[in-house]
Amino acid sequence: MNTFGRYLAADSPADKADVVLTGVPFDGTACFRPGARFGPQGIRFWSDVLETYSRPFDADLLDLKLADAGDLPVSSADWQAASTQIYRMVKNILLQGAVPILMGGEHLITLPAVKASADAFPGLVVLHMDAHLDLRDDYDGLKLSHATVMRRVMETVGPGGLLQYGVRSGTKEEWKLSEEKATLLIDLDALSGIFGSRPVYLSVDLDVLDPSVMPETGAPEPGGITFPQLHEAILACRGLNLVGADVVEYCPLPGGGGPSGAVAAKVVRELIFLCAENGRDAGCKM
């Protein structure tokens, strides 16, 4: 962990918190620029420039039961072990009645988190914000990769269980599959009507933002949304039955990274308010 030791104002004990942050410094399948394993400590560092108060949510971190459980001791060389650690961590947080928010790390960390959430909450749906479809069946022969993660997620949650926003990149086969499965979200205002009271897991890959806003990602993709547009998408999730979330693919440049770390930290802050406001209405089935 960084000099500040934890995310801004996250000073509640993990077993007493309503929202629990956990860093997952894994980037073992990075296919362009590695370094997302340094994302959690970068997010914590840059959180110190933020205010604890969010005007759009009219809420303050100081009023929340928020914990930072530190980083999982994962190895980027051993996905099998890392996957098991992530699953158990998310399961334990859900069992205590809190909402987990993972700070990545690469996007593959979402898969075991979704599996744990789906085991706890039957009927789970996943809202995925990203530049890339991530629907390949394999990448360089690997079935488990950050380039295949949403294909594996879709297999986990079943038909109609995946909805994607902000996507602008994919192979021809991925776009065809996306059209067949109707995964693309067209209207943010339709979210509550689509999901209803079903439990929701929200995954935000920071490369959904344009590289002019968020250059420090593992695979920047031109043509992305602005921060206000991403914030609008987060606000559109108010009222959903959120049971978990993650923010992934922040890849700080050497030397501590640039101010895009503040962008990543603010996305995490707004997800904290979102999860604290309307998380965990459904009963845990574990």
Side-chain angles (χ1 to χ4, degrees):
M1 296 174 68
N2 68 359
T3 303
F4 298 99
R6 55 174 169 73
Y7 188 89
L8 178 70
D11 54 5
S12 292
D15 61 349
K16 304 294 185 183
D18 294 325
V19 178
V20 180
L21 301 172
T22 306
V24 187
F26 179 88
D27 62 359
T29 75
C31 57
F32 179 65
R33 187 172 70 192
R37 64 188 180 277
F38 302 114
Q41 66 179 140
I43 289 172
R44 292 187 181 99
F45 178 85
W46 283 99
S47 73
D48 198 61
V49 309
L50 304 176
E51 299 289 351
T52 59
Y53 176 75
S54 170
R55 177 60 178 166
F57 282 96
D58 189 23
D60 199 304
L61 295 179
L62 297 175
D63 297 326
L64 304 181
K65 293 179 180 179
L66 173 66
D68 184 340
D71 286 354
L72 280 181
V74 296
S75 168
S76 289
D78 189 347
W79 169 246
Q80 189 71 26
S83 177
T84 299
Q85 288 174 276
I86 297 166
Y87 180 94
R88 289 175 177 170
M89 177 270 296
V90 171
K91 175 182 177 180
N92 288 337
I93 294 172
L94 294 174
L95 283 172
Q96 74 184 40
V99 180
I101 299 179
L102 281 60
M103 301 182 292
E106 63 156 80
H107 213 157
L108 187 56
I109 71 168
T110 299
L111 181 58
V114 166
K115 287 182 175 180
S117 300
D119 285 347
F121 298 99
L124 181 80
V125 290
V126 175
L127 178 57
H128 168 223
M129 301 183 183
D130 199 327
H132 307 91
L133 285 166
D134 292 342
L135 290 174
R136 297 170 188 255
D137 189 43
D138 70 87
Y139 185 80
D140 283 345
L142 294 176
K143 291 282 190 178
L144 295 172
S145 162
H146 71 157
T148 69
V149 61
M150 287 302 143
R151 181 69 168 262
R152 305 287 87 87
V153 163
M154 189 164 59
E155 293 167 354
T156 299
V157 297
L162 174 66
L163 202 59
Q164 299 176 291
Y165 170 77
V167 175
R168 55 195 183 274
S169 179
T171 66
K172 182 177 181 179
E173 291 74 17
E174 286 179 283
W175 283 112
K176 181 179 179 181
L177 180 63
S178 174
E179 291 170 359
E180 290 174 352
K181 303 297 184 181
T183 67
L184 294 185
L185 174 63
I186 306 301
D187 181 8
L188 286 170
D189 294 332
L191 272 175
S192 59
I194 295 172
F195 289 154
S197 62
R198 293 177 68 182
V200 179
Y201 185 97
L202 174 59
S203 180
V204 180
D205 185 328
L206 289 165
D207 67 23
V208 70
L209 292 161
D210 191 77
S212 62
V213 180
M214 175 54 66
E216 294 175 86
T217 66
E221 180 69 33
I225 63 175
T226 64
F227 183 86
Q229 288 172 315
L230 176 56
H231 199 264
E232 179 186 0
I234 291 172
L235 291 174
C237 295
R238 299 178 87 171
L240 299 183
N241 182 17
L242 287 167
V243 300
D246 61 55
V247 177
V248 298
E249 298 287 352
Y250 169 47
C251 186
L253 295 173
S260 57
V263 177
K266 191 164 185 176
V267 171
V268 171
R269 191 193 73 174
E270 297 306 276
L271 288 189
I272 291 168
F273 289 123
L274 180 68
C275 290
E277 182 180 81
N278 55 295
R280 293 302 305 274
D281 288 336
C284 183
K285 302 300 182 184
M286 281 182 168

